[in-house]
Amino acid sequence: MRGEKIQLTYTIHNTMRAVGTHLSSMVVRQFGDADLKEDHITLRLRGSAGQSLGAFCDNAYKFAITLLVTMQFAKGDARASEYIAWTGLAFLLPFILLSPIAGPISDRVGKRGVLIAMKMIEALVMLAAVQAFRTGDPTGYLVALVGTAAASAFSSPAKYGILPQLVPAEKLSAANGLLQLTTMIAVI
């Protein structure tokens, strides 16, 4: 079985919050640190899930705000360069301030609960972002960006911290690598 190519098809739902985590743990359990060829496993997922969508959503929103503000700058808005600087700060500051406390909180409260709560908060923040786009309020863009970054800052330790509960200790590094890969693909 190790030499044969594998093709898997699954239907997933938005309630499946850690599809990437579960898939990476299954691959690591089956193959360990084996050197798999690039096309060894073909996976077709129908539906949507939370983990990669969150990483994509944060970065897509940041990109959209930066693009919008750059367009305002091109139209001669004097405040646009200031908003570009604030965009970077609004995205990074929640990670710097909240990441150190997010891990201990997810350990105390429970990683699953933190992940679900952050997805709910993220949905509410995106509703606020839609309103900001409708009104053209640059301050609203930044507030929503802080909200998405804060939700991500709280989600990340829980997402990575839940892996030891899903994967044997000797395969944890490989599972972490696969989880990081799926997150980075979503970011790109």
Side-chain angles (χ1 to χ4, degrees):
M1 172 149 176
R2 287 189 185 256
E4 298 174 20
K5 290 185 179 182
I6 300 169
Q7 293 186 10
L8 305 169
T9 302
Y10 294 105
T11 300
I12 59 173
H13 307 282
N14 197 33
T15 56
M16 302 167 124
R17 298 290 182 202
V19 170
T21 303
H22 289 290
L23 289 173
S24 33
S25 71
M26 288 179 0
V27 169
V28 169
R29 279 190 191 134
Q30 179 68 32
F31 299 101
D33 292 338
D35 186 22
L36 298 177
K37 294 188 170 143
E38 185 174 324
D39 63 344
H40 187 86
I41 300 172
T42 302
L43 184 62
R44 288 179 175 50
L45 302 176
R46 291 187 179 95
S48 64
Q51 172 198 326
S52 59
L53 179 61
F56 173 77
C57 187
D58 295 347
N59 287 282
Y61 183 67
K62 179 182 179 247
F63 177 75
I65 290 174
T66 304
L67 183 62
L68 185 66
V69 170
T70 302
M71 288 171 34
Q72 287 177 324
F73 184 68
K75 292 178 184 176
D77 185 341
R79 298 178 309 164
S81 61
E82 182 181 325
Y83 279 115
I84 290 173
W86 282 109
T87 299
L89 186 62
F91 190 71
L92 293 175
L93 199 57
F95 284 97
I96 293 167
L97 296 176
L98 299 176
S99 292
I101 62 170
I105 288 172
S106 71
D107 284 341
R108 254 182 269 135
V109 175
K111 294 163 191 72
R112 182 178 181 273
V114 167
L115 291 169
I116 291 170
M118 290 305 107
K119 286 299 168 192
M120 287 183 197
I121 288 171
E122 209 170 76
L124 292 173
V125 168
M126 281 295 116
L127 289 174
V130 167
Q131 181 62 25
F133 275 110
R134 288 178 59 203
T135 62
D137 177 21
T139 303
Y141 308 154
L142 295 176
V143 169
L145 185 58
V146 168
T148 61
S152 290
F154 263 95
S155 297
S156 290
K159 178 175 70 173
Y160 287 99
I162 206 166
L163 274 179
Q165 298 168 0
L166 302 172
V167 179
E170 67 274 4
K171 298 185 179 187
L172 189 56
S173 293
N176 268 316
L178 286 171
L179 179 58
Q180 183 66 27
L181 173 66
T182 59
T183 301
M184 288 299 109
I185 288 172
V187 167
I188 295 170

